């Protein structure tokens, strides 16, 4: 996917655009460009493959010039290779339409074939250039740019955020949104912006409007009109809260480390907002939409790290709320029957609220009348707005591509949901009070793990020489081992696999050797003894083992000690240990931790 940032105003546009692109940089891309325009005859497209910094030196000639329109864009290749030719914007054959696009036009190939028959030529391999020439073709029969664009909406399929400039109407910018996020923003100085992400607008815009799926917005210098299915419509104008969006690394070497260390404070914040201290109960209003007694089955739906969080809490929905629950990976679930009925609730877990795979399922579910609840971080994001009700994570802006603090916040919110439901379904009061007591201690428990960062780094020094790893689990520790393994892969680029301790002897034990270390989530829970026998299996085959657990395991090669607690709380602690371990191995390997290769922060394409 790509990220769009458009500015129009009288300040130094280049600096604003490049700063905006740098703020989007953590989202992953492989080429960038800015498009500048003074008058229709005086416009330039400056494009660079690689990091935004590669663009910096190319725009020096434009730094002092005053231009009316500037668009910046980072591209992550979907159609066509990583070449300057394929970077945006793309211009129609007649030179009159300039298009910038985030998303995928699913039916571009058939459109391109028809346009080639009509003698259109193409300089790139992109679907975006097809849109530019399709606009030119449609315009031949339409009276205005607006009508042309409305006809375009009927002809192109699926995900896009499009910015369209036309030479005939230089003061007008038209934008379309279907699935890929797009925000229109402005400030009291009359400066105007479009951005794929609110993060880039921080410090510039005062007001912003989240465009909805199917919206067409026509922006002129001091006015805008939004059309939805051809009818003029209004969208909420949100005021910017700069402090939430202001994200900086502070004294940390990486955003990842900053966000890992934010976790105790985030747990405290969520606890404060969702739990009333008087009687240690949960704010019922926080769980609006959850009080429904008819919920008799829960399915969590998500991707990646968010999927591991959703998966983890299906265990607690069953043990605490006595509701049969299971987890679905969104990209798989869209091809399966939903078996909907009145008693089934789907919980969508997402940091960005824009993940295309999750959105696809949510859209299908809503079309079939299914009930949905969102556990989402980004305020006003698509999943947050499309679910029937939900909880915001309140984790603050998560910069780091591979999620840490959002995972912790998702886990905290989902545990509170399971407690909220459990209290209404006969959970023993003593159990409820025990968990609430441990939740109060959770921030300090996490700090105890964080305080071992130097010790964990020494373990990382041992591990960094290896190429393959097992992350071993049993029971409810499975999603945590999966999450630790995912973190490991995302930033160390070393291969790891989460594997069931009890399953190892049925084949994969063959991999155990001195060359394949195991990280074993081994808390002192009711499965401890079973786990110890698996531990011995590995030791007997000279496998090296790093234990993550509260009870000392004398024969472990290394151990990360976590505080003793209860089963519902152990996952938070083994997760933090796994985050730090992955961080230190990646840092010792010299990897670009905040911009891991091939990854994007929000995967807004399927
Ligand atoms: C970044 O790669 C994350 N680790 C990724 O797996 C992410 O959790 C997944 O893409 C879902 O994103 P979401 O939480 O924004 O929906």
């Amino acid at each position: 996917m790509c990220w769009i940032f458009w500015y129009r105003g009288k300040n130094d546009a280049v600096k604003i655009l490049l700063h905006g692109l740098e703020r989007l940089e953590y989202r992953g891309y492989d080429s960038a460009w800015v498009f500048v325009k003074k008058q229709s005859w005086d416009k330039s497209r400056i494009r660079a493959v690689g990091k935004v910094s590669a663009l910096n030196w190319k725009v020096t000639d434009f730094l002092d010039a005053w231009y009316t329109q500037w668009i910046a864009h980072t591209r992550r290749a979907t159609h066509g290779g990583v070449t300057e030719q394929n970077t945006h914007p793309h211009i129609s054959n007649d030179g009159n339409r300039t298009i910038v696009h985030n998303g995928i036009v699913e039916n571009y190939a058939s459109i391109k074939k028809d346009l080639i028959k009509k003698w259109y030529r193409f300089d790139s391999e992109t679907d975006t250039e097809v849109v530019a020439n399709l606009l030119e073709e449609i315009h031949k029969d339409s009276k205005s740019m607006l009508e042309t664009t409305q006809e375009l909406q009927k002809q192109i399929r699926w995900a896009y955020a499009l910015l369209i400039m036309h030479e005939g109407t230089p003061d007008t910018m038209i934008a379309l949104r279907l699935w890929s996020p797009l925000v229109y923003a402005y400030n009291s100085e009359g400066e105007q912006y479009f951005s794929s992400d609110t993060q880039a607008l921080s410090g510039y815009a005062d007001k912003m409007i989240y465009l909805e799926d199917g919206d067409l917005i026509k922006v002129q210098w001091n006015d805008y009109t939004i059309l939805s299915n051809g009818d003029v419509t209004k969208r909420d104008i949100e005021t910017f809260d700069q402090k939430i969006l202001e994200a900086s690394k502070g004294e940390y070497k990486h955003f990842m480390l900053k966000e890992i260390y934010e976790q105790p404070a985030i747990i405290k914040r969520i606890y404060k907002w969702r739990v009333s201290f008087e009687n240690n109960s949960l704010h019922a209003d926080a769980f609006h939409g959850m009080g429904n007694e008819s919920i008799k089955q829960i399915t969590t739906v998500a991707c990646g790290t968010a999927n591991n969080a959703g998966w983890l809490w299906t265990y607690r929905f069953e043990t605490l709320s006595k509701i049969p629950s299971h987890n679905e990976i969104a990209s798989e679930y869209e091809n399966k029957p939903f078996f909907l009925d009145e008693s089934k609730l789907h919980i969508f877990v997402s940091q960005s609220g824009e993940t295309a795979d999750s959105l696809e399922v949510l859209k299908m579910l809503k079309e079939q009348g299914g009930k949905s609840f969102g556990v989402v971080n980004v305020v006003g994001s698509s999943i947050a707005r499309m679910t029937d009700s939900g909880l915001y994570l309140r984790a603050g802006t998560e910069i780091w591509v591979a999620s840490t603090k959002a995972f912790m916040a998702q886990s905290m919110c989902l545990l509170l949901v399971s407690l909220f439901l459990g209290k209404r379904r006969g959970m023993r009061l003593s159990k409820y009070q025990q968990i609430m007591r441990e939740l109060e201690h959770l921030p300090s428990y996490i700090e105890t793990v964080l305080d071992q960062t130097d010790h964990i780094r020494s373990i990382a020094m041992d591990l960094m020489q290896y190429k393959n790893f097992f992350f071993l689990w049993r029971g409810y520790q499975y999603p945590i081992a999966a999450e630790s393994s995912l973190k490991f892969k995302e930033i160390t680029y070393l291969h790891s696999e989460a594997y069931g301790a009890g399953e190892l002897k049925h084949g994969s034990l063959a991999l155990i050797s001195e060359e394949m270390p195991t990280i074993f989530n081994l808390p002192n829970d009711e499965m401890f003894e079973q786990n110890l026998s698996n531990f011995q299996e590995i030791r007997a085959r000279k496998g090296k083992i790093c234990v993550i657990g509260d009870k000392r395991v004398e024969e472990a090669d290394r151990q990360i000690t976590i505080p003793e607690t209860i089963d519902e709380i152990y996952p938070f602690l083994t997760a933090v240990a796994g985050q730090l371990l992955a961080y230190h191995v990646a840092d010792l390997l010299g990897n670009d931790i905040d911009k891991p290769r091939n990854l994007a922060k929000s995967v807004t394409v399927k």
Side-chain angles (χ1 to χ4, degrees):
M1 83 295 309
C2 313
W3 295 98
I4 293 168
F5 189 71
W6 174 74
Y7 167 79
R8 181 162 70 176
K10 293 185 170 46
N11 286 318
D12 185 341
V14 176
K15 288 196 177 68
I16 292 173
L17 279 189
L18 291 178
H19 186 209
L21 281 190
E22 278 158 11
R23 282 183 165 161
L24 297 176
E25 193 163 29
Y26 62 86
R27 293 185 169 285
Y29 70 98
D30 38 45
S31 54
W33 56 273
V34 289
F35 175 75
V36 295
K37 187 168 176 290
K38 186 182 283 184
Q39 308 299 340
S40 56
W41 41 269
D42 175 1
K43 57 189 177 188
S44 297
R45 185 167 52 171
I46 309 117
R47 312 195 283 185
V49 170
K51 298 295 181 195
V52 170
S53 48
L55 207 53
N56 277 317
W57 64 272
K58 281 194 169 186
V59 297
T60 44
D61 300 348
F62 300 87
L63 282 176
D64 303 329
W66 177 73
Y67 285 87
T68 54
Q69 296 226 25
W70 289 79
I71 303 183
H73 179 272
T74 56
R75 175 176 183 263
R76 188 162 178 264
T78 48
H79 290 91
V82 181
T83 63
E84 278 205 13
Q85 209 55 31
N86 285 332
T87 52
H88 299 207
H90 289 285
I91 300 174
S92 55
N93 280 188
D94 65 4
N96 287 332
R97 294 154 191 81
T98 301
I99 311 285
V100 173
H101 169 217
N102 174 19
I104 287 182
V105 173
E106 275 193 335
N107 58 333
Y108 87 99
S110 55
I111 296 171
K112 184 169 184 175
K113 216 161 95 187
D114 292 343
L115 290 172
I116 289 171
K117 285 180 193 154
K118 294 171 182 168
W119 302 103
Y120 284 87
R121 74 181 190 302
F122 292 87
D123 301 326
S124 76
E125 306 156 283
T126 65
D127 51 353
T128 309
E129 192 180 14
V130 171
V131 173
N133 285 321
L134 177 60
L135 269 171
E136 179 181 337
E137 180 60 19
I138 295 172
H139 208 174
K140 286 176 184 167
D141 308 327
S142 305
K143 300 181 188 56
S144 72
M145 195 54 210
L146 183 59
E147 288 163 338
T148 302
T149 313
Q150 289 177 300
E151 178 53 32
L152 176 79
Q153 280 181 295
K154 297 174 190 159
Q155 295 193 23
I156 59 175
R157 252 203 340 264
W158 212 57
Y160 50 80
L162 276 171
L163 294 193
I164 299 168
M165 283 185 285
H166 183 256
E167 291 310 324
T169 49
D171 289 347
T172 301
M173 171 65 83
I174 292 183
L176 299 176
R177 189 240 152 132
L178 181 65
W179 216 273
S180 300
L182 191 64
V183 178
Y184 172 61
Y186 54 91
N187 62 26
S188 51
E189 291 174 56
E191 295 179 301
Q192 298 168 301
Y193 303 84
F194 276 107
S195 179
S196 303
D197 169 290
T198 48
Q199 172 71 12
L201 296 168
S202 173
Y204 294 117
D206 302 324
K207 303 287 182 189
M208 59 183 179
I209 296 166
Y210 286 92
L211 296 179
E212 302 277 349
D213 273 354
D215 281 359
L216 180 159
I217 184 169
K218 180 180 167 189
V219 171
Q220 277 145 328
W221 268 110
N222 298 308
D223 193 16
Y224 66 86
T225 307
I226 299 177
L227 297 176
S228 175
N229 297 318
D231 302 323
V232 176
T233 187
K234 290 274 178 230
R235 294 289 176 226
D236 294 343
I237 299 174
E238 316 257 354
T239 301
F240 235 86
D241 181 342
Q242 303 290 5
K243 58 184 182 305
I244 289 186
L245 286 172
E246 208 34 60
S248 70
K249 277 190 292 198
E251 76 279 8
Y252 294 96
K253 185 177 178 185
H254 294 102
F255 274 117
M256 175 178 183
L257 205 53
K258 173 177 179 281
E259 291 173 349
I260 288 176
Y261 276 78
E262 281 179 20
Q263 293 177 128
I266 288 169
I267 294 291
K268 276 184 200 149
R269 194 189 311 166
I270 296 171
Y271 188 88
K272 175 172 164 291
W273 267 328
R274 307 296 186 207
V275 178
S276 55
F277 294 98
E278 305 76 61
N279 52 12
N280 232 357
S281 69
L282 296 168
H283 284 305
D285 62 316
F287 299 90
H288 60 281
M290 266 295 157
N292 183 337
E293 302 313 321
S294 68
I295 300 171
K296 299 212 176 353
Q297 40 183 329
I298 292 177
T299 299
T300 55
V301 182
C303 304
T305 293
N307 177 63
N308 292 327
W311 188 358
L312 171 63
W313 297 98
T314 56
Y315 290 89
R316 297 305 160 213
F317 289 138
E318 295 195 332
T319 57
L320 300 178
S321 321
K322 307 291 180 236
I323 300 176
S325 304
H326 78 287
N327 169 268
E328 290 286 355
I329 294 171
S331 55
E332 291 299 316
Y333 193 44
E334 69 174 88
N335 300 310
K336 292 166 75 173
F338 294 162
F339 295 118
L340 291 183
D341 69 28
E342 266 308 298
S343 71
K344 188 166 200 177
L345 177 71
H346 284 80
I347 297 181
F348 288 81
V349 187
S350 176
Q351 191 289 124
S352 65
E354 301 298 347
T355 300
D357 288 330
S358 304
L359 273 169
E360 175 72 13
V361 172
L362 179 53
K363 192 177 173 192
M364 292 163 70
L365 185 79
K366 287 179 77 71
E367 284 162 2
Q368 297 173 37
K371 283 202 282 281
S372 60
F373 186 85
V375 176
V376 181
N377 195 34
V378 176
V379 175
S381 59
S382 302
I383 293 177
R385 284 180 289 112
M386 284 171 68
T387 39
D388 302 332
S389 59
L391 275 182
Y392 278 123
L393 301 184
R394 304 274 189 229
T397 302
E398 184 175 66
I399 299 290
W400 185 52
V401 169
S403 184
T404 52
K405 66 175 186 174
F407 174 80
M408 204 52 68
Q410 287 157 357
S411 294
M412 180 67 172
C413 289
L414 287 162
L415 171 54
L416 293 177
V417 168
S418 63
L419 289 172
F420 180 83
L421 292 169
K423 271 199 84 182
R424 284 155 180 72
R425 287 169 171 76
M427 178 197 288
R428 276 184 297 106
L429 185 58
S430 58
K431 180 65 180 170
Y432 174 80
Q433 289 168 338
Q434 181 195 41
I435 294 172
M436 294 304 271
R437 248 192 331 274
E438 288 300 290
L439 274 180
E440 280 187 84
H441 297 308
L442 180 54
S444 62
Y445 289 161
I446 293 174
E447 281 159 356
T448 304
V449 181
L450 296 176
D451 291 345
Q452 297 181 62
T453 191
D454 293 340
H455 169 62
I456 294 171
R457 192 171 180 89
S458 74
I459 295 172
M461 284 176 193
D462 292 348
L463 295 179
M464 64 185 284
Q465 61 185 300
Y466 298 101
K467 299 294 177 222
N468 297 287
F469 301 81
F470 271 133
F471 281 81
L472 233 50
W473 54 272
R474 191 184 288 269
Y476 66 90
Q477 283 288 340
Y478 184 7
I480 296 300
E483 176 54 18
S484 300
S485 173
L486 177 60
K487 287 284 102 36
F488 210 77
K489 285 178 279 198
E490 284 181 304
I491 55 174
T492 71
Y493 311 148
L494 300 175
H495 175 256
S496 71
E497 183 180 3
Y499 213 90
E503 186 61 10
L504 201 56
K505 56 185 171 296
H506 298 288
S508 300
L509 197 60
L511 284 179
I512 293 295
S513 73
E514 288 182 305
E515 296 316 306
M516 181 142 182
T518 297
I519 292 91
F520 201 159
N521 285 356
L522 222 169
N524 187 23
D525 56 22
E526 76 277 7
M527 299 178 288
F528 183 78
E529 293 309 323
Q530 288 173 291
N531 282 329
L532 273 190
S533 61
N534 300 123
F535 176 90
Q536 294 307 340
E537 279 169 2
I538 297 168
R539 290 276 299 155
R541 290 155 180 85
K542 300 190 179 10
K544 296 194 184 329
I545 308 174
C546 170
V547 160
I548 301 176
D550 45 320
K551 187 172 182 178
R552 181 80 192 124
V553 178
E554 290 309 327
E555 293 175 286
D557 297 282
R558 304 303 298 266
Q559 178 155 353
I560 299 171
T561 304
I562 59 175
E564 182 180 352
T565 181
I566 58 178
D567 292 9
E568 289 79 8
I569 304 298
Y570 276 130
F572 293 91
L573 307 182
T574 49
V576 176
Q579 291 168 354
L580 274 180
L581 193 59
Y583 173 81
H584 284 304
V585 173
D587 189 40
L588 289 166
L589 291 171
N591 292 356
D592 189 352
I593 287 175
D594 285 335
K595 296 171 204 142
R597 69 185 182 203
N598 306 339
L599 295 183
K601 179 61 188 169
S602 175
V603 186
T604 57
V605 291
K606 282 161 57 65

